Amino acid sequence: MTAMKVTIDADRCVASGMCAYSAPEVFDQSEEDGVVVLVQDSPSADQHEAVRTAARNCPAQVITLDQ
């Protein structure tokens, strides 16, 4: 099993919510401005595909995955 490390650049986030929609166990949105909030930076293996989808679908490309 390969570990995954997730990082975000919240300063560039456009608050589309695609990450929270794709992987709600890993990403959330700030109630104030909708900017991404990283809930879990080392998701379990069963969440990896959802996290990859979130990273691919992010319009601002603020999600970085290290595997």
Side-chain angles (χ1 to χ4, degrees):
M1 175 168 66
T2 305
M4 176 185 280
K5 176 76 172 170
V6 181
T7 55
I8 57 170
D9 183 350
D11 292 336
R12 292 182 23 231
C13 179
V14 296
S16 75
M18 291 305 299
C19 57
Y21 176 77
S22 298
E25 302 85 9
V26 178
F27 305 101
D28 199 357
Q29 289 182 276
S30 165
E31 291 189 22
E32 292 176 12
D33 55 12
V35 169
V36 63
V37 173
L38 186 59
V39 176
Q40 189 175 169
D41 67 355
S42 297
S44 61
D46 64 325
Q47 296 169 326
H48 287 187
E49 189 54 40
V51 173
R52 287 187 198 98
T53 298
R56 265 193 315 273
N57 292 336
C58 176
Q61 296 296 290
V62 304
I63 302 168
T64 302
L65 306 178
D66 294 317
Q67 303 181 47

